[in-house]
């Protein structure tokens, strides 16, 4: 049984809370097997190790590897484990809302190229202003494999201005997205930066206003695979209050601190 009070207190104090064994080893095996089966559908082999299989398929065909990544977030077993009853009940209690939406289930894959690491940002572009994020690595994450960086207690001052323009140091890099959301260095420098080491299957729950980013994978053989979701309550949700509001609150141009019920 989850101790809702302990989790809420942790979230309110630090902006995040780690749930041990959010996924059981059985859940983890089902997800990994499912991901390998899909990679084997692209090109079969005897490889049983998901990380090795990933690099094998990346070498075989980059586009199909990308397609695997895109379709994996619709994998039913993955959705089932992300949308655990305790988590849904916790979100309802935390926000005092009887309704919760799935904001964006996703799978994140960071390999040795580190070309998809994210700069410090808060979780925006959701249905509601305040949401709870969930981040679950399916392999252990640590200083070598890279992982999730949090800026402790940065959740307490509401939302900062975001930009979709990468900072000057990123100018020459080829980016995979044109929505490269980030906040000014002057803002996040004020907070204590912590690179989290999270064991496989443990889940990090975080408040959307917590500044977070990715840190680098330096182990060439490793690939970090993480499943995530954003739980959106029926609170501070402009789409159901304003006919002009888009379903998701835009990354820029809207002050999330001004959205009220
Ligand atoms: Fe994020």
């Amino acid at each position: 049984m989850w101790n809702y009070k302990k989790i809420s207190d942790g979230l309110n104090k630090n902006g995040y809370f780690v749930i041990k064994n959010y996924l059981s080893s059985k859940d983890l095996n089902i997800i990994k097997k499912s991901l390998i089966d899909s990679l084997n559908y692209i090109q079969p082999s005897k490889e049983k190790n998901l990380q090795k299989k990933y690099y094998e398929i990346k070498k075989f065909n980059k586009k199909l590897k990308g397609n695997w990544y895109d379709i994996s977030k619709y994998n039913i077993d993955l959705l089932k484990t992300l949308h655990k009853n305790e988590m849904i009940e916790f979100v309802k209690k935390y926000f005092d809302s009887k309704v919760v939406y799935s904001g964006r289930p996703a799978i994140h894959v960071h390999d040795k190229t580190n070309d998809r690491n994210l700069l410090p940002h808060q979780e925006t572009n959701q249905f509601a202003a305040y949401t709870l994020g969930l981040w679950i690595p399916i392999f252990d994450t640590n200083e070598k494999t890279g992982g999730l960086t949090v800026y402790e207690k940065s959740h307490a001052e509401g939302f900062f201005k975001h930009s979709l323009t990468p900072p000057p140091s990123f100018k020459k890099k080829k980016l995979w997205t044109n929505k490269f959301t980030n906040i000014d260095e002057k803002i996040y420098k004020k907070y204590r930066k912590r690179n989290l080491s999270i064991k496989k299957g443990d889940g990090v729950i975080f408040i959307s206003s917590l500044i977070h980013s990715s840190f680098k994978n330096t182990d060439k053989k490793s690939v970090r695979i993480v499943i995530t979701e954003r739980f959106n309550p029926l609170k501070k949700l402009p789409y159901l209050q304003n006919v002009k509001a888009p379903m998701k609150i835009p990354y820029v141009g809207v002050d999330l601190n001004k959205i009220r019920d």
Side-chain angles (χ1 to χ4, degrees), residues 134-180:
L134 175 64
W135 189 95
I136 312 168
I138 65 168
F139 297 105
D140 289 352
T141 65
N142 49 50
E143 279 304 327
K144 269 173 120 185
T145 65
L148 180 67
T149 303
V150 294
Y151 292 78
E152 280 191 325
K153 299 189 168 60
S154 58
H155 67 296
E157 290 177 67
F159 289 92
F160 301 106
K161 201 175 163 228
H162 282 70
S163 166
L164 290 177
T165 313
S169 55
F170 268 64
K171 279 266 156 67
K172 283 192 186 119
K173 283 194 185 172
K174 205 177 147 232
L175 298 171
W176 82 97
T177 174
N178 54 5
K179 287 175 181 165
F180 202 83

Side-chain angles (χ1 to χ4, degrees), residues 118 121-123 206 212 230:
L118 295 168
H121 65 281
Q122 293 167 305
E123 207 61 21
F206 63 96
H212 59 284
R230 289 93 179 145

